[in-house]
Every structure is written in structure tokens, then in C-alpha cells.
Amino acid sequence: MRAYTFLIIKFLIIHCSEANKENDISSVLKELLSNYEGRFRPNYREIEKPLLLNVSLHINGLSNFRESDMDFDVSMNVKQYWNDKRLAQNKHMSEITLSDEIAKQIWIPDTYIVNQKSIEVLSITDRNKFLRLSPNGDISLSQKINAKLSCDMDLRNFPLDTQYCSINFESYSYNGDEVDVNWKKVQPFTSSKVLKSRKFENTNIEALKSTESFPGASYPKLILKFELKRLLSHYILNHYIPTTFIICLSWISFWINARFEISRTILAVSSFLAILVSSANSYTPEADYVMALDVWNWVCIVFAFTVLIVHAFVVHFHHRSHATKKKDVSRDNPSFEELTIAESVNQSHYRQRIDRISRIAFPILFFIFLIIYSLAYL
């Protein structure tokens, strides 16, 4: 019985202590906000001393890179830190968690994302996760943001390209003389995992600061720059390797005897059509310049078309040789017979020579193209 009584008394004491603590916090906030003017920034009377605003980011993920629209999606947590001496207090010696209602009454930075196309700010439903106030007036603001950001992509090396996209922060109405925006010195950015999407893999992140100059004022800008290397497995397996096999397959016609004209024709024409279909079905973003994939497609088309041209020459010489033999059979003149035999031999020699040269020249030229292509775009 005494144990139960002791527990009840202890519970009441703790409950009363918590209630007193809440009342104490409420009274402290009421006192701090009684003469507070939220329309003015901290230190607004100190003209030569700008407010120091530190920013840190936690990147949750990068996704949906769209070359056609030149943008991508990002999910992140943005934290901002500053000091407001008007909210400094000594009566409550621990951090105070402020609700959304309190946040509306105090000064909040008007930091925005410069290169945003659309943005969704998700305020956390739990009020104890929104705004925190320290006894010395230090304030930290946390926001979860999903945004669609613009990224000026250079697609000349597509799909062997590396893109540089960024998240740019800037104060909307306060210039550098009023609010000095900086990255947090310790861990300005973090990420929960390796940043990788279906198209890109992040290879480097760099936190930079620059100044945006306008007539009469300059604004500090924070830049979180991503180096994004495109994932090549899809393009290698679905385009580069198949088109290379088709080109190599077309060379088999050089080893087929010209007497099998139909077989050579089918192989050369089908290879050319396969290259055309593969090039037409390959995805290339819309751009007003030539991309690496365009170069590959057109060179492959030229190789396949050249095989057709060589095949046409071989068939032509084969037909001339065959026609010469028929003339030889239809005439009894010995001198004419010797002449036609020599001409037939020459035609057959040209045909065989073209095939022998093509067997060596085409693989060598294509190998040289592969080397030049790799050096130019990789």
C-alpha cells in the first residue's frame, strides 16, 4: 500500500513539475514576444554589421533527370541557423521548441532556391521538429523540401556525358550588407545514401559561394554543385554493342562468292536496314547541335551503306565477267576468244581484289573510328 502511495505521489510531483515547466516556457515566450517586431531582421539597427545566416543541407535523393526540359527533382532537408538577440533569455536554460504559430510572429529568413521551377515545402506535422530557440538567441529552422530545379545540361557528349547540376540559394530581399548567407562550417551538406538515379551517378559534391550583382546591391549566393556521370550500361547493351555486331555481320558478304549474289544482297541490305532501324529507335534528346550518339549512328550508317556500294561493284564486275564468257561461246573467232578470255579474267580479278581489300580495310577503318570516338568523347 505504501508503495502504491509513493508512486502516486511521485507521479503527481512529476506532473506538476512538467506543468510548471510548460507554464514557465509559455511565460518566457510571452515576455520575449511582448515587444518583439517580426518585420525587422535581427541587428537591423547595426547598419555596418550584417546578420550571419548559415545554411546546411541533407540530400535525400536526386531523381527524374529530364534532358528535354533541362531539369531534375530533389528531395532535401534545409536547415538555417542565425542569432536573434531579441529572443535571448536566461530564465529557461535549455532549448525551446517553437510551434508554427510562434514561428509566424518572429523574423524568418526569406531564403529561396534561385533555379527552382516548382517547389513543395513540407512542414513537419510534429511541432517539436520545426523551430528551435537556444537561451542565447540562436535559432535553427528545419524544412523538408521537394523541388523541381533547372539544370543547364550540355548534351554534346550524350550519352558519354558528365553533367553539372546545382542547388542555388539566395536571400530574396536582403542584400549582402544586410544578411550574409554562408554555408555551415561543419558539414554543410550530408546525404543519407549514395546519390544515384536511373540515369546518373553522383561522383562529387562541392559547396561553393558566389555573389550575384545587381544595380545598387549584391546578393550572396550559395551553390551546392553536383558532378553527375551518366550510367552507360543501358546504352552499351542496347545500342553500341548491337550496332557493332550488325556492322561486323555486314562484312561477311566480303567472304561470300559473287556467284551467290542473292545471299550477298540479302546480307548487305538487311544490315543496312537494321542499322537504320536501330538509329531511328535510339533515344536522343532534342538539341540544336550534334551529339556523340548522332556521330555514332551516322558513321554506322555510312559503313553499312558503303558495304552496299562495294557489293554493287562486285556484282557489276561479276555480271560483266559472265557476259564476256557468253560472248566468247557465241563467236568462233580465235583472236576474239583470246581477248574475251583476258577481259573475263580482268573482271574476275577486279572483283576478287575489291573483296580482299574490303576484308582488311573495313575492320581497320572501323577500329580507327572506335579509337577516335573514344578519345573524343570519353
Side-chain angles (χ1 to χ4, degrees), residues 293-338:
L293 192 61
D294 295 328
V295 174
W296 176 271
N297 288 337
W298 279 108
V299 170
C300 289
I301 290 174
V302 169
F303 266 93
F305 183 73
T306 308
V307 171
L308 270 177
I309 298 299
V310 171
H311 168 68
F313 275 105
V314 171
V315 171
H316 170 72
F317 286 122
H318 174 68
H319 283 184
R320 287 188 60 179
S321 175
H322 191 63
T324 302
K325 288 181 180 179
K326 286 185 177 180
K327 291 180 181 178
D328 181 28
V329 173
S330 63
R331 301 201 179 186
D332 298 330
N333 191 337
S335 60
F336 182 79
E337 180 180 352
E338 293 177 0

Side-chain angles (χ1 to χ4, degrees), residues 23-135:
N23 292 331
D24 187 33
I25 294 175
S26 299
S27 61
V28 169
L29 291 175
K30 186 176 180 179
E31 180 182 349
L32 291 174
L33 297 175
S34 59
N35 296 319
Y36 188 89
E37 183 53 69
R39 295 177 299 172
F40 302 105
R41 65 173 179 85
N43 306 334
Y44 69 94
R45 297 182 184 276
E46 302 176 17
I47 301 177
E48 298 181 357
K49 186 178 180 181
L51 173 68
L52 298 179
L53 176 63
N54 295 320
V55 178
S56 68
L57 298 180
H58 179 78
I59 308 299
N60 299 315
L62 304 174
S63 61
N64 298 332
F65 288 88
R66 293 168 287 267
E67 292 86 359
S68 58
D69 298 326
M70 294 288 182
D71 58 27
F72 67 101
D73 295 339
V74 61
S75 175
M76 58 184 171
N77 292 83
V78 181
K79 289 188 175 182
Q80 302 181 70
Y81 310 86
W82 70 96
N83 181 270
D84 193 340
K85 295 180 180 179
R86 297 171 295 179
L87 297 178
Q89 42 80 26
N90 296 319
K91 295 181 180 180
H92 191 74
M93 300 308 296
S94 62
E95 284 190 337
I96 300 176
T97 301
L98 306 179
S99 64
D100 293 345
E101 289 77 10
I102 299 297
K104 294 177 182 178
Q105 301 179 47
I106 67 174
W107 182 88
I108 299 293
D110 59 353
T111 310
Y112 76 106
I113 303 176
V114 179
N115 58 327
Q116 70 184 34
K117 284 188 173 181
S118 63
I119 189 169
E120 180 183 5
V121 181
L122 305 176
S123 58
I124 303 173
T125 55
D126 257 351
R127 294 180 178 178
N128 61 353
K129 297 293 184 180
F130 185 70
L131 197 66
R132 299 184 69 85
L133 173 64
S134 298

Side-chain angles (χ1 to χ4, degrees), residues 345-356:
V345 170
N346 288 335
Q347 302 296 335
S348 178
H349 175 71
Y350 290 148
R351 181 191 68 203
Q352 294 175 4
R353 186 178 180 183
I354 290 174
D355 275 341
R356 285 197 300 267

Side-chain angles (χ1 to χ4, degrees), residues 244-289:
T244 302
F245 280 161
I246 294 172
I247 292 297
C248 295
L249 182 65
S250 67
W251 301 337
I252 296 178
S253 62
F254 302 141
W255 274 266
I256 299 177
N257 195 292
R259 291 178 298 174
F260 304 102
E261 177 185 343
I262 297 178
S263 299
R264 290 185 64 135
T265 303
I266 292 176
L267 184 58
V269 172
S270 60
S271 299
F272 179 68
L273 292 178
I275 287 294
L276 287 179
V277 172
S278 178
S279 300
N281 291 335
S282 62
Y283 168 74
T284 53
E286 295 181 4
D288 58 351
Y289 45 78

Side-chain angles (χ1 to χ4, degrees), residues 158-160 235-236 238-245 292-293 296 373:
F158 177 88
L160 309 175
Y235 298 96
I236 291 175
N238 293 280
H239 190 73
Y240 284 104
I241 291 178
T243 49
T244 302
F245 280 161
L293 192 61
W296 176 271
Y373 188 84

